[in-house]
Amino acid sequence: MRQCLTSDLGGYYTPKTSSENDQFGTKGDFVTSPEISQIFGELLGLWVVAEWIAQGRRGEGVYLMEMGPGRGTLMDDMLRTIRNFPPLAKAIEAVYLVEASQNLRLAQHKLLCGENPLTENSIGHESTSKYSPDLKIIWAEDVRFIPQDPTKTPFMIAHEFFDALPIHVFQSVPPPPPQNEGDAADTIQTPTGPIKNPRRLPQGHQWRELVVSPTPPHRLKEGEPEFELTMAKAATPHSMYLPETSSRYKALKDVDGATIEVSPESLAYARDFAIRLGGSNPETSAPSQPAAGRKAVASAPREEAVMKDEPSGAALIIDYGPASTIPANSLRGIKQHTRVSPFTSPGTTDVSADVDFLALAESAINSSPGVEVHGPVSQALFLTAMGIEERAAQLVKKAMVEKGRTGEGKEELTEVVKRIEGGWQRLVDPSPQGMGGLYQVMAMLPFRPEQVGEDGKRRRPVGFGGDVRL
């Protein structure tokens, strides 16, 4: 997936030459929520405002961070909305955009910064927002380049980002049948005669990794992909480790044919979010010492701890995937708004997989003592709670007033109203043709034991059953 999407040799988002082809919109391969309706980005901006208010209206040290910002439409709508709340707008010292594509970075710069110059800096590139000369827009190719400052308050957005991160696919296979003493497989022929096979056969189910392999020539038909998924004949390092990292995976190991998808990179991003919000876990044990008589082996450098005295900030993740189960058989390709094989035209086809939201939540909670997770809830529920219908009614009323003042025809007004109404309804439509049930929304917030309401219950954020607290 990484090779196909962001390879430096030329991937879907990182072509070697600048191209006029746009991945987004009706002329591209897919349409995202911010492109469908401006209300989507406006409501995410309001969600950030609501969380900033609930956490005490911090007056400095706030920053926004978006992962995979596309053309920049979502962040542009968010910044335009946040401008209506001057104390927060003034508190935001920078906007960080994690983007691997040079073409998309240039598109984002044009939309967010206008004619302000784009220059290189120590972590990537930077410019100045078109909305304020005091607001820096900073680009980095990887979230690890952005400092984890425990004195800052980050508000992080990941919309349709995790679905593009690489996955590993594993399938459970039963153990081989028991062998009788003297079976051919029980011995190894050597120049000096047969010896007993020292390899111990597995006694229980094993995870086998599904790997990308060339399609055998005798099965390759004209017009079909040249690659396919095949099961590894033996255990791989990934199959021996990754499925053992969660009890959710272990519970399926003894089920014949059970298939799971695991994304270590997604878990690493969730861990990064959690540490930025709540700090690292305190050290609980000293480094292990080698046993007597054994040579010490150098280990990887320890991760530098981030100790945050007061958890703050928030992260909002919006993507498609099951709300409570482990994704399986979800690897797909998207080309010209049609689902195709993920192996179709590598490098020119979008490749994605369902997001395991519970795995992200598990990673976040295990990574920081100062984080709690809410959701996932459906996009329809979240946007409805945020007031999408009411905002659409405001836009329709505004359009009617403006058209009446300018004297434009009825047909133009009808088209504007149709676009507004059709846009927001598509975002909350729970049918298979809509986005309301397909997409899930999950939030990471600071965990503060003292945050208990008058009813004895913990505060819930807006969009997840809570309300604005002034």
Side-chain angles (χ1 to χ4, degrees), residues 8-27:
D8 56 356
L9 300 177
Y12 182 72
Y13 292 110
T14 55
K16 295 185 69 174
T17 58
S18 297
S19 172
E20 294 181 358
N21 294 334
D22 191 350
Q23 298 95 341
F24 307 93
T26 56
K27 296 182 179 180

Side-chain angles (χ1 to χ4, degrees), residues 120-447:
E120 292 189 8
N121 62 14
S122 59
I123 66 172
H125 299 78
E126 69 176 66
S127 187
T128 304
S129 170
K130 66 183 181 182
Y131 293 117
S132 171
D134 299 323
L135 180 59
K136 287 186 177 182
I137 309 293
I138 303 173
W139 285 265
E141 292 189 3
D142 194 291
V143 72
R144 290 172 294 184
F145 297 152
I146 302 174
Q148 294 179 332
D149 189 338
T151 67
K152 306 297 184 183
T153 298
F155 288 94
M156 298 165 284
I157 304 293
H159 174 251
E160 290 203 50
F161 171 74
F162 283 95
D163 64 271
L165 297 182
I167 62 170
H168 291 268
V169 185
F170 304 102
Q171 191 172 92
S172 177
V173 297
Q179 297 177 337
N180 297 320
E181 189 74 24
D183 282 355
D186 195 46
T187 60
I188 300 176
Q189 296 296 329
T190 71
T192 58
I195 61 172
K196 188 175 181 61
N197 188 349
R199 185 170 64 92
R200 302 180 65 180
L201 295 176
Q203 301 301 309
H205 283 67
Q206 275 192 319
W207 289 108
R208 292 289 173 84
E209 187 167 9
L210 301 185
V211 296
V212 179
S213 305
T215 303
H218 70 278
R219 288 200 288 106
L220 182 61
K221 298 180 180 179
E222 186 176 354
E224 292 187 353
E226 298 180 12
F227 298 92
E228 62 182 8
L229 279 180
T230 58
M231 183 182 294
K233 295 182 179 180
T236 64
H238 288 126
S239 70
M240 291 188 289
Y241 171 68
L242 290 177
E244 303 299 326
T245 58
S246 171
S247 58
R248 299 170 65 233
Y249 308 144
K250 293 178 182 179
L252 295 174
K253 186 173 183 178
D254 292 332
V255 179
D256 288 355
T259 303
I260 61 173
E261 295 173 355
V262 184
S263 175
E265 197 165 329
S266 295
L267 304 184
Y269 272 97
R271 174 178 172 80
D272 182 275
F273 290 1
I275 291 175
R276 291 177 188 273
L277 295 178
S280 307
N281 277 318
E283 294 291 340
T284 56
S285 60
S288 58
Q289 299 296 324
R294 290 184 177 270
K295 183 179 179 181
V297 178
S299 60
R302 279 177 168 263
E303 182 183 73
E304 186 175 345
V306 178
M307 307 313 297
K308 194 165 184 175
D309 295 335
E310 183 179 2
S312 64
L316 197 64
I317 299 170
I318 306 173
D319 227 312
Y320 47 83
S324 58
T325 58
I326 302 170
N329 305 314
S330 73
L331 184 64
R332 63 177 74 81
I334 300 292
K335 197 172 185 66
Q336 296 179 348
H337 305 276
T338 302
R339 183 165 178 167
V340 298
S341 166
F343 307 115
T344 299
S345 303
T348 63
T349 298
D350 182 37
V351 182
S352 64
D354 284 356
V355 175
D356 189 346
F357 283 92
L358 291 190
L360 298 183
E362 187 176 52
S363 176
I365 293 173
N366 290 339
S367 300
S368 174
V371 167
E372 63 185 32
V373 176
H374 296 263
V377 299
S378 71
Q379 178 171 288
L381 191 153
F382 175 79
L383 294 179
T384 300
M386 290 298 299
I388 188 171
E389 186 172 0
E390 292 79 4
R391 176 55 178 160
Q394 288 181 342
L395 292 178
V396 169
K397 183 178 180 180
K398 180 181 179 182
M400 294 176 67
V401 171
E402 290 181 353
K403 297 297 182 183
R405 185 177 63 251
T406 59
E408 293 188 23
K410 184 178 180 181
E411 292 184 1
E412 289 80 0
L413 176 59
T414 301
E415 186 64 29
V416 171
V417 173
K418 182 180 179 181
R419 185 174 66 251
I420 295 172
E421 291 290 334
W424 80 264
Q425 290 176 8
R426 182 179 176 186
L427 295 181
V428 298
D429 182 0
S431 73
Q433 290 71 39
M435 294 175 149
L438 178 65
Y439 286 79
Q440 309 293 328
V441 186
M442 188 173 77
M444 297 181 191
L445 298 182
F447 172 71

Side-chain angles (χ1 to χ4, degrees), residues 65-81:
M65 184 167 74
E66 185 180 358
M67 322 301 295
R71 291 193 294 203
T73 307
L74 174 57
M75 182 55 67
D76 188 52
D77 290 336
M78 290 180 61
L79 290 176
R80 192 183 68 253
T81 301

Side-chain angles (χ1 to χ4, degrees), residues 48-66:
V48 170
V49 172
E51 270 307 305
W52 173 75
I53 292 174
Q55 295 182 32
R57 305 171 186 252
R58 185 167 181 174
E60 61 181 3
V62 177
Y63 68 85
L64 303 181
M65 184 167 74
E66 185 180 358

